[in-house]
């Protein structure tokens, strides 16, 4: 069928989505910072599943994920982002690093959606 990136697929909505996409025959690139997502990728399914343990807030990771999906499966059809990182602190204790950690993954979301159009060899379908 198609190729899907699911960012944040180890638990919750992301986990249910990975299973459903694979059930209908889609290939999935599951991206999560938790190694427990490997067990999800190893579950049987009609579609293949590849796990990439990555921090989506890190520079260049979103582009790497898109390029890997295209290289592995020949194109990219859908991106589903369920990944989020929430930190908590009182305002006086809130640091710039905390801000960067919570905003980073969300800032990368746009790259995941747009990387195909910026990468000529990407093959977004």
């Amino acid at each position: 069928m198609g190729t899907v990136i699911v960012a944040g697929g180890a638990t919750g909505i992301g986990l249910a989505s990975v299973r459903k996409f694979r059930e209908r025959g889609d290939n999935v690139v599951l991206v999560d910072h938790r190694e427990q997502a490997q067990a999800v990728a190893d579950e049987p399914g009609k579609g293949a599943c590849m796990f990439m343990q990555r921090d989506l807030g890190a520079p260049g990771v979103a582009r790497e994920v898109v390029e890997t999906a295209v290289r592995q499966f020949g194109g990219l059809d859908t991106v589903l982002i369920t990944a989020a990182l929430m930190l908590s602190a009182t305002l006086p204790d809130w640091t710039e690093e905390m801000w960067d950690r919570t905003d980073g993954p969300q800032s990368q979301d746009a790259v995941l959606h747009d990387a195909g159009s910026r990468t000529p060899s990407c093959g977004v379908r």
Side-chain angles (χ1 to χ4, degrees), residues 12 29 46 53 87-88 123-124:
V29 177
K46 288 182 189 174
Q53 185 174 1
L87 301 176
S88 179
V124 174

Side-chain angles (χ1 to χ4, degrees), residues 1-6 17 21-22 24-30 47-50 52 65-80 112 122-125:
M1 293 207 50
T3 299
V4 181
I5 293 173
V6 177
S17 298
F21 282 125
R22 293 191 66 209
R24 61 178 228 169
D26 294 312
N27 296 317
V28 175
V29 177
L30 190 170
C49 189
M50 169 185 190
M52 296 180 70
V65 170
V66 169
E67 291 175 351
T68 299
V70 171
R71 188 172 49 254
Q72 184 73 23
F73 298 115
L76 176 60
D77 300 288
T78 303
V79 177
L80 175 65
L112 276 171
C122 191
V124 174
R125 297 188 280 242

Side-chain angles (χ1 to χ4, degrees), residues 35-65:
E35 68 180 57
Q36 75 190 63
Q38 182 64 61
V40 177
D42 291 341
E43 292 176 359
K46 288 182 189 174
C49 189
M50 169 185 190
F51 170 53
M52 296 180 70
Q53 185 174 1
R54 300 289 190 277
D55 175 354
L56 282 170
V61 170
R63 183 170 301 282
E64 175 196 8
V65 170

